[in-house]
Structures are given as structure tokens and as C-alpha cells.
Amino acid sequence: MSETRSEKLINIVMKFVELKGIVALKDGIIYTLPMSLIGSVFLLLAQIPYQPFNDWMAGIFGAGWTEPLFQVYNSTMAIMAIVAVIGIAYMYAKNEGHEPLGAGIIAFAVFLITLDQFATSTGGEVVGGVIPRTWLGGQGMVASIIIGLTVGAVYSWFLTKKITIKMPAGVPQGVSNQFSALIPGLVIITGTMFIFMFFKYALGTTLIGYIFKVLQTPLQGFTDSLIGLIITTALVPFLWWFGVHGNNIVGGVMQGMQIANRLDNQAIIDSGKALTIANGGHIVTDQFMASFVTVGGSGLTLGLAILMIWFSKSDQNKALGGLSIGPGIFNINEPIIFGFPMVMNPLMFIPFVLAPTVSAVVAYFAMRVGLVPLFTGVTVPWTTPPVIGGLIMGGWRMALLQVICIAISVVVYFPFFKKVDAMNVKSEQEAQD
């Protein structure tokens, strides 16, 4: 029996999802989450949008009362590129069945080698022996992804081919692992030195600076564009409709750019400028996706759960709505995805893709025209309920926009829901006869 078109598409998607690099990227980038959330707490405390409180704190602890808070922020959220490069290389080696920490450490060293280890002061004085913080956060994300994947792959190849220093039996495993990393580490780091020389002496730049200019800037521009947002938004429920975890796939590929956009926004604030689009601010960040695209779960199904509770005539739908609304408030919607269901349901394909897409476009223009502020570096856990998350990250206007987006999902789902609900009522009546 020949494969259907949907089966062929699923097979193509699954082959992409199962690529070693995609798996390592998806699993490795997660290591940035704890640092991001912890850093957000201290950043929020340092930037409470209530001047009387700030004045009160300054009166007690002095004008520099925020310095310890920013010290934590700069050592957590502001080093996302370092965390990502270690995590990605680590997960690549781990997924290949090798001792992974060596790969992470080597990737960290390679990342540092690609940097100019000096800084220029505002007065033009060159200060040596320092690591420029510029590249440790958002501006270094694409380079960290490329370096992490490359180091992980090369390191794993050496160990798979057993091109290592083999220690005698009886040597502690921890010691043996470190000697196993010597040959791949030497080759990778030596190769990186020559790459550093090429970019410095032939091109007058660094590898990480070149990647930022040639790759990251256009990619960030794409993720922050309306067309890029629409494609990214629609792709998540599109893949989910086939039963493939759309968030993991799209997020694994795009999240690095969205995090970089968020960190760029915070960098604008840290520089003393107003966070505006004119000053280079980004609309589409990882918080944007969580707040307006996947709020209530992929496909913005919180609106569907509300419909099932308030407007359902089917006992089945009403019961499912009661079971789904609680998890949906915390952005978990598997009960609806597989219980309604959304997967492979031809009647629900259009609203499942359309609801988050319309919500994203409305939120995009609300930010572009200045009705709602851009996201700063502050973020919240993905399970934070809507409205609460909006209040924390952007104040009452952002919380109100979340309510509007949920209302949009109710409107988009309504006619399709009524059709399915009527079909279920008919089936229930026939079962009782």
C-alpha cells in the first residue's frame, strides 16, 4: 500500500526532527532556561517600574543599590551564548553515547578563542586581558550554536573512531575520560587557532563577529519580520496537526534567534537608550511567542476550552472542556490536542492554524505602533498563566493584549466548534436510541 501524502510529509518532518544536530540544538538550548529565569528575577527587581519604590531603596542603600542585582544579571542572563555553546556540544556528545563534559569544555574554549580578548574604552584606550561582554549574550547566539554543533560532531567522531589515548585497565574512569578528550581537543583547538588567524589577519575581524554580520543579523531580521512571524507561528500548529511536536521542532530551530532578540532589547535599555523600534528594538522574542502565540498551548486552544465549557451542548465536549481549562491556564493543552482531537481532524485544521496566526499579527502591530511596550530582558516560566505573565513582563497593556488574543481565539474557533459540537450531539443521541 502506497504512502499517503500526509504520511510522506510526516516522514520528511520526522527525518528532519531526528537529525543529530537538531536534537542536540533542541536539547542543548534548554540549558539556558534556568539562567534566563534566574537572571530575569534579579533584572526585574533592579528595574521595578515604580519610581517611589526606587527612590525609597536608593534612600536606604544609596544610589548604587541596583549594582548587586545587575551583577547577578550579568553573570546569568547576559552569558546565554556561553551556556548555549556548552549545552549544545554536551548534548551532542551525550546523545552519541560519549562522555559529554569534555565536549562542552572544549566548545567553551573554542568560543573564547574566536573572540578578541581586549576591549576599547570610550576614550579609545585599548585594555588587554579581558573578554568583551558584547559577544557573551544575544550577539553571540548563532556563533555559539554553530560552534557547539561543530565541536560536538568532531569530538564525537574522534571518540566513535576510537582515535584517542587509551589508558590501561584499572585506571579510574574519570581519569580515562580526560585522556580520551586530549586528541580531539588538541585537533579542535589547534584548528580553531588557524581559523582565528585567518579571520584576524585576512579579514580584519573575528569568526564570531563575521557570523554575527553575515548570518545572525539577517536571521534576527527574519524572525522579527511580519512574514517570518507568520511562517513561524503557522508552522507550529501545522506540524502538531500531523501529530508531530511543533513546539520542539520550530522552537529548537528559532528559539536561539528569539532569545537573541530579547537580549538585544535589554542591551538597548542597559545602554541608557529608550527601548523603541527606532533604536533597534525587536518585537518578536521568545516572550512574544509564549505570550501571544502559544498562550494556553499550541494553536491558542484556550479559546476552544472556554467554548466547550460555556457553549457546548455535547456532554463529551463539556466534560473535556472542564478537564482542559485547568491545564490550559498553565499553557498545557495536550488534553485538547489529543482529546478533542486536533490531530488529523480536518474540521479543526483551519482554526488551529489561524487562531495563533491572527493573534500574532494583532500583537505584532500593537507593538509596532506603540500601543504595547516591547519586551525587555525579563521573562517568566512558560507555565505562567496569561495576564499574570503579561503584567510581569510588560504591565497592564500587555496583560490586556493577552486577553484580547484569547478573545480572538474564541471568535476564530467558534464556527468550527459549533459544527463539531453538533456532530457530537447527534452521535450521543443516536447512541442513546
Side-chain angles (χ1 to χ4, degrees):
M1 183 178 178
S2 60
E3 288 183 319
T4 64
R5 289 183 179 180
S6 62
E7 289 173 338
K8 290 180 180 179
L9 178 60
I10 291 173
N11 289 334
I12 292 172
V13 171
M14 291 308 299
K15 286 180 181 178
F16 175 77
V17 172
E18 293 168 358
L19 288 174
K20 295 177 181 179
I22 297 299
V23 174
L25 173 58
K26 173 176 65 69
D27 294 342
I29 204 77
I30 292 176
Y31 283 97
T32 66
L33 182 60
M35 293 294 99
S36 182
L37 293 177
I38 293 170
S40 290
V41 172
F42 288 89
L43 180 63
L44 180 62
L45 292 174
Q47 296 181 337
I48 296 289
Y50 185 61
Q51 194 57 41
F53 171 81
N54 296 327
D55 294 339
W56 177 69
M57 291 293 289
I60 297 175
F61 300 105
W65 70 273
T66 60
E67 183 177 351
L69 300 174
F70 279 114
Q71 180 78 358
V72 175
Y73 160 74
N74 288 325
S75 302
T76 52
M77 187 188 297
I79 61 165
M80 287 293 100
I82 290 179
V83 178
V85 75
I86 295 173
I88 292 168
Y90 179 95
M91 288 308 305
Y92 198 112
K94 183 178 181 180
N95 292 340
E96 290 291 282
H98 304 303
E99 191 285 314
L101 186 56
I105 293 173
I106 292 169
F108 175 49
V110 168
F111 185 86
L112 293 182
I113 294 170
T114 66
L115 300 173
D116 276 330
Q117 297 189 9
F118 62 84
T120 305
S121 68
T122 54
E125 180 183 2
V126 176
V127 181
V130 298
I131 300 175
R133 190 182 295 276
T134 302
W135 303 109
L136 305 186
Q139 292 191 26
M141 284 300 294
V142 171
S144 73
I145 291 171
I146 294 173
I147 292 170
L149 292 175
T150 303
V151 171
V154 174
Y155 177 88
S156 297
W157 182 86
F158 272 88
L159 268 62
T160 299
K161 298 295 184 180
K162 300 189 184 302
I163 306 175
T164 61
I165 297 176
K166 300 175 180 63
M167 301 301 291
V171 174
Q173 188 62 43
V175 176
S176 180
N177 288 339
Q178 305 318 308
F179 276 91
S180 295
L182 278 176
I183 292 179
L186 178 63
V187 172
I188 292 169
I189 289 174
T190 302
T192 305
M193 181 190 70
F194 286 110
I195 292 173
F196 169 79
M197 293 169 61
F198 170 77
F199 279 94
K200 183 175 181 62
Y201 301 120
L203 302 181
T205 184
T206 60
L207 172 63
I208 192 169
Y210 185 82
I211 290 174
F212 177 77
K213 179 180 179 181
V214 175
L215 285 179
Q216 180 159 337
T217 300
L219 284 173
Q220 283 189 251
F222 173 76
T223 61
D224 201 38
S225 67
L226 181 60
I227 185 64
L229 173 63
I230 291 173
I231 292 172
T232 303
T233 299
L235 195 56
V236 172
F238 176 80
L239 293 173
W240 260 121
W241 191 84
F242 289 97
V244 180
H245 201 304
N247 280 351
N248 281 353
I249 299 170
V250 178
V253 175
M254 303 300 293
Q255 190 177 32
M257 294 300 93
Q258 293 162 359
I259 291 174
N261 289 346
R262 164 165 52 95
L263 296 176
D264 281 357
N265 282 1
Q266 185 58 42
I268 292 172
I269 296 173
D270 295 342
S271 69
K273 298 179 182 178
L275 179 54
T276 62
I277 295 174
N279 285 337
H282 299 284
I283 296 174
V284 183
T285 65
D286 54 330
Q287 308 116 303
F288 181 98
M289 303 302 290
S291 299
F292 307 118
V293 177
T294 59
V295 59
S298 298
L300 242 171
T301 56
L302 188 57
L304 181 57
I306 293 171
L307 287 171
M308 284 191 283
I309 291 175
W310 287 356
F311 298 100
S312 180
K313 296 180 180 179
S314 163
D315 293 336
Q316 173 187 331
N317 287 343
K318 190 172 290 290
L320 180 60
L323 292 172
S324 302
I325 192 69
I329 290 173
F330 294 94
N331 305 315
I332 299 169
N333 69 336
E334 274 74 6
I336 290 180
I337 293 285
F338 299 105
F340 191 75
M342 311 302 289
V343 174
M344 302 300 289
N345 186 341
L347 290 175
M348 300 307 293
F349 177 81
I350 292 176
F352 192 45
V353 174
L354 188 62
T357 304
V358 173
S359 170
V361 171
V362 169
Y364 183 90
F365 281 107
M367 288 188 167
R368 176 160 286 279
V369 301
L371 295 177
V372 177
L374 302 182
F375 286 99
T376 66
V378 174
T379 188
V380 295
W382 66 272
T383 52
T384 303
V387 180
I388 295 176
L391 282 171
I392 294 173
M393 292 186 288
W396 69 268
R397 288 184 293 170
M398 192 168 290
L400 177 60
L401 182 57
Q402 284 189 305
V403 173
I404 292 172
C405 289
I406 293 171
I408 288 172
S409 73
V410 171
V411 173
V412 172
Y413 275 110
F414 184 77
F416 301 90
F417 160 76
K418 291 297 291 182
K419 177 66 176 178
V420 174
D421 192 60
M423 293 171 61
N424 287 347
V425 169
K426 183 178 179 181
S427 298
E428 291 168 4
Q429 290 174 345
E430 291 175 350
Q432 292 174 357
D433 294 340

